[in-house]
Amino acid sequence: MNQTNVAVIFGGVSSEHEISLRSATSVLQELDRTRYHIIMVGITRDGRWLHYQGEIDGLMDGSWEHHPANRPAFLAPDTSVHGLLCLDDGQPVVIPVDVVFPVLHGQNGEDGTIQGLLEMAQIPYVGSGVLSSATSMDKAVAHTILEHAGVPMARWILVNRGVDSLSQVDARIREQLGYPVFVKPANAGSSVGVSKVCGPDELERALQEAFQVDRKVLVEEAIVGQEVECAVLGNEEPAASTVGEIAPKQAFYSYSAKYTDDSTDLYIPARIPAQSLEQVRALAAKVFCTMGCHGLARIDFFVRGDGSVVLNELNTMPGFTSISMYPKLWQYEGMAYSQLLTRLIQLAQERVQP
């Protein structure tokens, strides 16, 4: 059987660089080597692309960046190349690529930028296209679109760095939302730069932290309810998984709770009424289709005490670590991690067919 050349891209110039390395490690360990020839491409924090030929374990300890066999790599937008250009002793070498799996989270990876480059190169890739990636990544844009589509969500306001003063933001919160609120960078994931603000004395610090990540910041009313997530898989007719529940022991589902400690309990299926569970699944599919997503997305919601459902956010390249909810939800549905990866690559190839 002819193997498909799959380039797995990891790292990236993003606040979620480390998360990408964690996700890519799991993906590389689980990809079917009988079906795929794997090409590993790492992007350093300062934006250098390297064709990495070492061990998978090197991603987690950072040694991948200094491997002696590394060589500069460039994704050529020239359609006649259809792959990577690598420099071997200064001489260009072409590595053909059939499909790209961009295991990149956050800016410069999940926001339509690398998707645009892949579109120019006419190389199939896992995940959503340019427009849906960009609009889904920007929480303000996504909220505007989905609010218009009738998806229930928390009340929110947008704050721009250098435009809105602290007193103005405080006044808007008091008038439109009320404390407590969550302060979030508009273009970030994995709870990077997110703070819960219980009063005006905590607002300045939270805004400063969020503005370190993005120029645009969302302030949302705090919803009291269970945090749940739904995994969506497919292209034009997506399937929604059962619903998982995040039960953080901290004030909210923080970065450390997601990736570095055991301060969160996961429940699959979620401990919510059956009617709410089905509403979450239906809304997840609606959000996926409204935003024009392809391949995969994880859609997050809150379920209030009365059973009503409120959108939290969507992620077009959710975490793929060994403890991440997206693969766990499909494992519950009977799809092993390696099978899920194979299906995602198949969806990428199907999407480009006429």
Side-chain angles (χ1 to χ4, degrees):
M1 180 176 67
N2 291 331
Q3 289 185 313
T4 300
N5 290 339
V6 177
V8 177
I9 304 181
F10 55 85
V13 184
S14 164
S15 59
E16 298 175 73
H17 179 95
E18 293 293 337
I19 303 163
S20 170
L21 299 182
R22 290 172 181 266
S23 290
T25 296
S26 296
V27 169
L28 289 166
Q29 288 171 340
E30 295 291 342
L31 276 168
D32 185 351
R33 291 307 199 277
T34 65
R35 185 186 293 263
Y36 304 119
H37 170 66
I38 310 303
I39 304 155
M40 294 185 287
V41 181
I43 304 176
T44 64
R45 291 183 183 276
D46 59 357
R48 292 176 295 121
W49 288 46
L50 300 172
H51 176 212
Y52 174 60
Q53 299 175 74
E55 298 297 321
I56 296 173
D57 291 346
L59 273 66
M60 291 305 298
D61 62 19
S63 63
W64 72 271
E65 291 192 33
H66 311 290
H67 195 276
N70 281 352
R71 51 185 181 174
F74 309 90
L75 185 61
D78 187 330
T79 58
S80 66
V81 176
H82 209 270
L84 292 164
L85 277 177
C86 297
L87 295 181
D88 199 346
D89 292 330
Q91 298 300 311
V93 176
V94 175
I95 301 180
V97 174
D98 298 311
V99 180
V100 168
F101 199 142
V103 190
L104 300 167
H105 305 305
Q107 293 174 311
N108 302 304
E110 200 176 348
D111 59 358
T113 49
I114 195 169
Q115 288 80 9
L117 180 57
L118 291 165
E119 291 283 353
M120 292 178 66
Q122 295 183 13
I123 299 175
Y125 56 92
V126 172
S128 293
V130 177
L131 180 61
S132 55
S133 294
T135 54
S136 296
M137 180 72 190
D138 190 311
K139 294 180 179 66
V141 175
H143 276 32
T144 301
I145 293 171
L146 294 170
E147 204 167 38
H148 181 74
V151 176
M153 63 183 65
R155 292 174 296 165
W156 60 281
I157 61 173
L158 179 64
V159 181
N160 294 283
R161 186 171 65 194
V163 176
D164 303 290
S165 70
L166 182 63
S167 60
Q168 289 173 326
V169 176
D170 176 52
R172 291 173 64 195
I173 291 172
R174 292 174 185 273
E175 179 183 345
Q176 300 178 45
L177 309 179
Y179 289 100
V181 293
F182 279 98
V183 175
K184 305 177 179 182
N187 289 278
S190 299
S191 298
V192 174
V194 176
S195 301
K196 184 176 183 179
V197 176
C198 295
D201 56 321
E202 301 175 4
L203 182 59
E204 183 175 15
R205 176 198 55 79
L207 288 172
Q208 288 175 346
E209 185 175 338
F211 280 136
Q212 289 178 359
V213 181
D214 195 6
R215 297 182 61 86
K216 294 165 58 178
V217 167
L218 258 68
V219 181
E220 297 179 345
E221 67 170 321
I223 299 295
V224 177
Q226 293 160 273
E227 297 183 52
V228 301
E229 301 180 348
C230 184
V232 184
L233 178 69
N235 286 333
E236 281 68 32
E237 297 181 359
S241 73
T242 191
V243 179
E245 179 185 353
I246 305 295
K249 301 170 186 175
Q250 303 174 354
F252 68 99
Y253 195 29
S254 64
Y255 176 95
S256 60
K258 287 180 179 178
Y259 299 106
T260 62
D261 61 36
D262 60 354
S263 62
T264 300
D265 292 326
L266 306 180
Y267 297 94
I268 303 175
R271 301 169 301 171
I272 57 177
Q275 184 176 355
S276 299
L277 190 148
E278 290 307 315
Q279 186 181 1
V280 167
R281 296 182 68 228
L283 281 171
K286 178 176 180 176
V287 168
F288 188 92
C289 294
T290 299
M291 299 303 296
C293 297
H294 286 90
L296 74 162
R298 196 195 71 232
I299 322 290
D300 303 344
F301 298 88
F302 295 106
V303 179
R304 290 187 168 114
D306 62 1
S308 61
V309 177
V310 178
L311 175 72
N312 182 7
E313 62 184 32
L314 70 153
N315 299 270
T316 55
M317 187 53 69
F320 261 93
T321 70
S322 58
I323 63 170
S324 293
M325 183 66 91
Y326 188 88
K328 279 183 172 294
L329 286 168
W330 287 114
Q331 286 166 11
Y332 178 86
E333 299 285 4
M335 186 181 296
Y337 194 117
S338 60
Q339 292 176 309
L340 174 61
L341 298 178
T342 296
R343 182 60 186 140
L344 287 170
I345 292 170
Q346 290 172 340
L347 287 167
Q349 294 172 307
E350 291 171 7
R351 181 171 167 244
V352 298
Q353 294 177 356

